[in-house]
Amino acid sequence: MPDITWEDPFCAEGNNCFRIGTDPDGNAYIAVAGQEDRYLTDTGEALRALIRDIKAGKADHLLRGQSGAHSLT
């Protein structure tokens, strides 16, 4: 397993917690808190782009529960 430094969990209501991490090589990781051994990985730049897009509202439709939206679970 890579040497990942995990941030504190980002939690919504209930137990919906995600963790973001990075490694010394500049890779980024996202995992469900408590399941850090099962992560998604990409470049640090891809993570920065994801965060910028979310902050810009490009995922807001997921918050409204639009029909046809894919579940994140």
Side-chain angles (χ1 to χ4, degrees), residues 33-71:
Q35 299 180 30
E36 289 82 358
D37 58 326
R38 300 176 62 204
Y39 51 79
L40 298 173
T41 186
D42 207 327
T43 64
E45 180 52 38
L47 175 62
R48 289 186 288 279
L50 173 66
I51 292 169
R52 282 192 299 269
D53 285 350
I54 289 170
K55 289 176 76 173
K58 292 183 179 182
D60 286 357
H61 62 282
L62 297 173
L63 300 174
R64 293 189 292 269
Q66 267 184 338
S67 64
H70 297 279
S71 171

Side-chain angles (χ1 to χ4, degrees), residues 9-51:
F10 293 90
C11 299
E13 294 180 22
N15 295 323
N16 300 319
C17 299
F18 291 92
R19 296 192 73 185
I20 295 174
T22 56
D23 70 17
D25 295 324
N27 297 305
Y29 302 82
I30 300 174
V32 173
Q35 299 180 30
E36 289 82 358
D37 58 326
R38 300 176 62 204
Y39 51 79
L40 298 173
T41 186
D42 207 327
T43 64
E45 180 52 38
L47 175 62
R48 289 186 288 279
L50 173 66
I51 292 169

